[in-house]
Amino acid sequence: MDSISLLVGPPPNASRALNQDDFDTRYNFAKYRKKKTNTELVKQFAIGDNWILYQQPNSWIQILPITTWINKYHVKDTLGKDILGALYLSLLLLPQAIGFGVVINDVSAAVYSLFIPQIIYAFFGSAQHSSLGALSFTSIMIYCSIEYSNSHLSSISLCCAFIQLIQFLLPLELIFSYISTSALAGFSVGLFIRTVFRFLPQFLVFRGHDCKSTTAVGLLLPNTTNDVKRVLQCFYAAVPCLRSADTILIVATVVAAIIFIIFKWRLSRFLMSKIGFSAPHEFVVLLSVTFLIFFFQPDVAAQSTTRIDLSIPKIGLWTFPSWSTFVDSFAISIYAMTSHMQITKSIAEEKMYKVHRKQELFCFSIISFLSSLFGLLPPSSSYGSSQVNIESSKFSLAANVLSLIPTMLMVHFGAPLFNSLPICAIGIMIITSFNGWFSDLKSIREIFYSSTWDAALSMAALLSAVVFPNVCIGFIFMLFCSVFAVSLKVQFPRMEVLAKLSDSHFAEENRYEGDCLDTPLRIIRLSGPLLSVNCESVRSELFKQAVVVKGLIGIGIGTRTASLRSQCPSAVGPKESVTARESVNLSANITIIQECDVSVALPPSEDTPSIVRFLVLSMNGVTGIDKDMLTCLSQIYGDLSSENIKILMAGVPAFVRDSMELLGFYNTVPKTQFYPNVQEALLAARNAVLPFHMSVSMNGCRDVIALSCAASNADLNRQPSPEAV
């Protein structure tokens, strides 16, 4: 037989809500410390966790990482492999260095820049594998700095050393956090496009005498732009110029491209599957194309090759850098370190060891300083999943040091042969070596489907590398766009209304079907920093939810039964009408008949007691708050309290409550409105407005219904239930 028991007041087993003060007392909350002095703040900024990596007893181990891996080096098992790897790496790095030098028009500096990084990084580098000295996108950045800012290599390296040392000494690593992977991918694709245009005039050479400009670019942008007659003459002479194109050079370029593509995407994979490593195809192809052009047409080869001076550089005086050189060096240093850490960390995760950015900055500063003495390049790593990065990860740093011996021998005895290298083949080698741009394009395409912010940032980075003549200035613009994007994200924190799914689960109201609450309240989750720029958006959202909570029915019905949940007066869940779930254990339904629209609230009469309604703010995701936002919340609390709407704050982080106490927020909003979690806040609201509880047992299936004795704010005409309960 069904039974109904009516209890006045809360049920015997009802628990009291635990507010924030009771929670802190029960679990021994540690109060905030006193305000720090200016000296303590300076120490925290300058030291803090900045030097935690170099604290005793591992300080020397971190400064000289060679002491870690050299003790684990097995001479019998590894030395023979590293000797073969040294020869293999020299065959990989030498063509890369020549390509780097062709980009910046200084092959000698690029080739000799292989030596200093390999030695210094073996002592001070935190990674166990290195591809320093290989061709990278910093080549086009250095070329633009030399071309547009009249910079010198010694000045660029000196400025990079100074910037990297300052970043090592001070906690300035936050600069790298603004360069996201999407921005780096977009900018790298733009650098690849600039590299292609850098070598396009070398692929299409015209030898006609009708145009003063002898390249394909000269047809579109003649040198004598001020002379209209000269422009017209070039226009009419376009066809003769095209007919005068060097066929042998174009054929050689196409053949070199086909050979590079076949070696890179076919033969290399075949050899990798058979013998475990790929062939140094760049070195082989460069030699083959050199012999081909020199044998068939030596006169053309003499005109289409670059003269390489491989004399040993000498120590010289520094050239005092200009401000433009310093700005360019800042961009080169930040991009080189960011791309280096990206590929190094991926290899470190695969090989299961750690790489420290601060130690890498210290190592790079030493390399840059020594390179500036000889007028050499600042350090940089190969970009993406290039052949150099893949193969260098198979050997230790000892192989990099030993690779200098065959490299020096090839430079000394092969210098005359290097002078016959065709620029077209070198250009094709440079373009095909940058295979990371294709994966970057695929990642940018995926970003468009996942995040609008990141997609816009990646496109802005790509355009900044293409549009700006000096790509170093384009990088500074990209960095500014990244900081601006972060500020825009801060201005719009996420404010989501939550639905109660169960006693311990809450989720977005517009994505899940939730239970009807037995209390007139709304749950709003705040996430992100709450700063002064967010005041108006937070105020607007809270007042919007205050209007919604006014329309909720004062009488509360909370149940686990599907038939009762379907009678929820407000739209909860992704649909306006929530379909009730079937219950096989329930043979009777309790139905509420309602003839008027509850969404139209009528003004209460003078004898009607006021109904207290609630807004519960879940603040677990708040990452920061300032004084202006606290003032805004105080004003919102006072305005809504006058309309019988109480604000309950749940899950407020300890550091946020520290700021509230220091800035006097509790003088306006009492501590009794704070609760450790949303469940405690809901229990406090329920106990405040629902004094009557009814326990219903139907055919052995027990359910709980909570009824409020308070009058509704809406004039509801209800009829008796059609069934006796």
Side-chain angles (χ1 to χ4, degrees):
M1 182 177 179
D2 297 338
S3 61
I4 300 177
S5 61
L6 185 63
L7 305 175
V8 179
N13 296 329
S15 59
R16 174 178 172 270
L18 188 68
N19 61 23
Q20 189 67 53
D21 280 344
D22 296 337
F23 182 84
D24 294 343
T25 303
R26 176 179 298 183
Y27 297 103
N28 298 325
F29 173 69
K31 290 286 186 180
Y32 65 93
R33 297 180 179 180
K34 65 177 183 178
K35 294 181 63 176
K36 297 181 179 180
T37 62
N38 294 334
T39 304
E40 292 175 340
L41 291 176
V42 171
K43 288 182 178 180
Q44 181 181 4
F45 173 77
I47 302 176
D49 295 335
N50 187 40
W51 296 97
I52 192 172
L53 182 66
Y54 302 97
Q55 293 181 356
Q56 295 291 343
N58 299 322
S59 58
W60 283 107
I61 295 177
Q62 298 299 334
I63 294 178
L64 286 174
I66 189 176
T67 58
T68 302
W69 65 267
I70 199 66
N71 294 328
K72 302 177 182 179
Y73 189 81
H74 299 283
V75 178
K76 294 182 179 180
D77 300 333
T78 313
L79 183 60
K81 178 183 176 181
D82 285 341
I83 292 176
L84 295 177
L87 178 61
Y88 181 56
L89 289 179
S90 64
L91 296 179
L92 292 177
L93 291 174
L94 184 58
Q96 294 270 305
I98 293 175
F100 202 128
V102 171
V103 174
I104 65 173
N105 295 324
D106 193 344
V107 178
S108 176
V111 169
Y112 285 104
S113 295
L114 288 173
F115 293 88
I116 294 178
Q118 310 302 335
I119 298 175
I120 300 300
Y121 195 84
F123 286 89
F124 297 97
S126 61
Q128 299 178 11
H129 308 87
S130 169
S131 63
L132 296 180
L135 179 63
S136 66
F137 281 128
T138 55
S139 58
I140 193 66
M141 300 180 71
I142 295 175
Y143 166 76
C144 290
S145 179
I146 297 174
E147 186 72 15
Y148 296 100
S149 300
N150 296 323
S151 304
H152 299 278
L153 287 179
S154 58
S155 301
I156 295 176
S157 298
L158 180 63
C159 292
C160 288
F162 176 77
I163 294 169
Q164 291 158 356
L165 183 61
I166 292 298
Q167 289 177 323
F168 167 73
L169 296 176
L170 299 178
L172 299 178
E173 296 183 28
L174 58 91
I175 298 175
F176 300 101
S177 61
Y178 286 102
I179 306 175
S180 61
T181 55
S182 58
L184 185 65
F187 192 77
S188 299
V189 173
L191 291 181
F192 174 77
I193 296 174
R194 289 294 298 269
T195 305
V196 173
F197 279 99
R198 164 75 173 85
F199 287 97
L200 186 60
Q202 310 298 333
F203 301 151
L204 301 177
V205 177
F206 303 93
R207 306 190 183 281
H209 299 283
D210 296 317
C211 285
K212 183 178 180 180
S213 178
T214 61
T215 61
V217 180
L219 293 175
L220 302 177
L221 298 175
N223 296 333
T224 55
T225 54
N226 296 327
D227 192 353
V228 180
K229 294 182 179 180
R230 185 63 182 169
V231 174
L232 294 177
Q233 182 181 357
C234 264
F235 177 76
Y236 290 120
V239 175
C241 283
L242 292 176
R243 291 179 178 177
S244 65
D246 195 332
T247 308
I248 297 295
L249 188 59
I250 295 176
V251 171
T253 302
V254 174
V255 171
I258 295 175
I259 294 175
F260 274 115
I261 293 174
I262 293 177
F263 265 97
K264 192 175 187 62
W265 280 281
R266 294 298 180 184
L267 294 181
S268 294
R269 295 179 181 178
F270 176 77
L271 293 175
M272 182 71 69
S273 61
K274 295 297 182 180
I275 60 178
F277 61 90
S278 59
H281 62 275
E282 294 177 349
F283 186 84
V284 175
V285 172
L286 284 182
L287 289 181
S288 302
V289 175
T290 301
F291 286 132
L292 180 65
I293 293 182
F294 186 81
F295 179 76
F296 283 102
Q297 205 168 17
D299 296 336
V300 176
Q303 299 176 5
S304 304
T305 56
T306 178
R307 309 305 298 177
I308 300 178
D309 182 15
L310 294 179
S311 58
I312 300 177
K314 300 179 181 179
I315 297 179
L317 297 177
W318 290 310
T319 303
F320 188 78
S322 61
W323 283 108
S324 59
T325 301
F326 185 83
V327 172
D328 294 345
S329 302
F330 175 80
I332 294 170
S333 173
I334 298 299
Y335 179 82
M337 177 55 63
T338 304
S339 59
H340 168 75
M341 290 301 300
Q342 184 185 52
I343 186 60
T344 306
K345 282 187 175 181
S346 63
I347 297 177
E349 291 177 359
E350 180 182 353
K351 302 296 182 179
M352 299 180 65
Y353 64 86
K354 293 184 179 180
V355 179
H356 304 287
R357 180 188 284 118
K358 185 166 289 293
Q359 181 63 25
E360 295 295 293
L361 286 170
F362 178 64
C363 180
F364 271 43
S365 64
I366 297 176
I367 297 174
S368 298
F369 177 76
L370 295 178
S371 298
S372 65
L373 296 175
F374 297 94
L376 302 180
L377 301 172
S380 60
S381 296
S382 181
Y383 182 77
S385 57
S386 63
Q387 184 186 18
V388 179
N389 284 328
I390 295 175
E391 300 300 336
S392 63
S393 63
K394 300 177 182 178
F395 308 100
S396 67
L397 292 176
N400 292 77
V401 178
L402 294 175
S403 66
L404 300 180
I405 299 176
T407 301
M408 178 60 73
L409 295 176
M410 286 188 291
V411 169
H412 179 72
F413 294 103
L417 185 61
F418 292 156
N419 288 326
S420 300
L421 288 173
I423 297 181
C424 62
I426 298 176
I428 291 296
M429 182 203 70
I430 293 172
I431 293 174
T432 55
S433 64
F434 291 130
N435 58 346
W437 65 271
F438 187 72
S439 59
D440 288 338
L441 278 180
K442 293 173 63 177
S443 64
I444 292 174
R445 181 181 178 184
E446 295 173 356
I447 290 171
F448 272 91
Y449 295 100
S450 60
S451 175
T452 306
W453 288 96
D454 292 337
L457 186 59
S458 62
M459 291 305 301
L462 192 153
L463 294 176
S464 63
V466 174
V467 174
F468 284 88
N470 189 350
V471 293
C472 299
I473 304 300
F475 182 85
I476 301 297
F477 177 78
M478 184 269 290
L479 186 60
F480 172 78
C481 291
S482 300
V483 176
F484 183 69
V486 172
S487 64
L488 287 181
K489 290 181 181 180
V490 170
Q491 189 173 357
F492 302 103
R494 295 186 65 86
M495 293 174 284
E496 300 168 321
V497 179
L498 302 183
K500 181 182 178 183
L501 308 184
S502 65
D503 291 338
S504 58
H505 297 92
F506 299 86
E508 293 85 349
E509 186 186 62
N510 60 345
R511 305 297 292 271
Y512 294 89
E513 177 186 346
D515 291 334
C516 292
L517 298 175
D518 51 14
T519 311
L521 58 83
R522 300 284 280 175
I523 307 173
I524 301 99
R525 179 171 62 190
L526 302 177
S527 59
L530 301 180
L531 306 177
S532 58
V533 295
N534 305 326
C535 289
E536 294 305 320
S537 58
V538 172
R539 187 194 304 271
S540 175
E541 180 64 24
L542 294 184
F543 276 105
K544 176 183 176 181
Q545 297 304 323
V547 174
V548 175
V549 81
K550 286 182 181 179
L552 298 181
I553 300 177
I555 184 171
I557 299 179
T559 179
R560 297 185 302 273
T561 305
S563 60
L564 294 183
R565 184 168 60 245
S566 64
Q567 307 298 331
C568 180
S570 62
V572 179
K575 298 180 181 180
E576 295 183 0
S577 176
V578 180
T579 304
R581 301 185 181 93
E582 296 181 358
S583 177
V584 296
N585 297 324
L586 185 63
S587 59
N589 291 335
I590 298 177
T591 308
I592 298 176
I593 299 177
Q594 179 178 303
E595 294 182 350
C596 66
D597 187 5
V598 298
S599 62
V600 182
L602 301 177
S605 60
E606 296 179 359
D607 299 332
T608 302
S610 300
I611 301 171
V612 180
R613 304 173 190 274
F614 299 91
L615 292 180
V616 178
L617 303 184
S618 177
M619 303 179 66
N620 299 83
V622 175
T623 58
I625 197 167
D626 62 2
K627 183 177 181 180
D628 293 337
M629 178 56 69
L630 292 177
T631 303
C632 177
L633 291 177
S634 300
Q635 296 173 353
I636 295 173
Y637 181 84
D639 295 339
L640 296 183
S641 296
S642 61
E643 300 184 14
N644 295 318
I645 299 177
K646 298 296 183 180
I647 295 181
L648 306 181
M649 299 186 180
V652 183
F655 70 92
V656 175
R657 287 185 276 119
D658 292 343
S659 300
M660 291 177 174
E661 188 166 355
L662 288 172
L663 298 176
F665 182 74
Y666 294 140
N667 297 333
T668 306
V669 182
K671 290 185 177 181
T672 55
Q673 305 301 110
F674 289 77
Y675 296 89
N677 50 51
V678 176
Q679 291 87 341
E680 298 294 340
L682 294 182
L683 182 59
R686 187 175 187 272
N687 293 339
V689 300
L690 299 176
F692 286 91
H693 297 264
M694 182 170 62
S695 178
V696 182
S697 178
M698 300 178 182
N699 296 336
C701 182
R702 187 173 182 82
D703 206 346
V704 177
I705 302 176
L707 301 176
S708 173
C709 65
S712 174
N713 192 33
D715 187 10
L716 303 178
N717 298 323
R718 302 185 181 277
Q719 296 180 1
S721 175
E723 296 185 23
V725 179

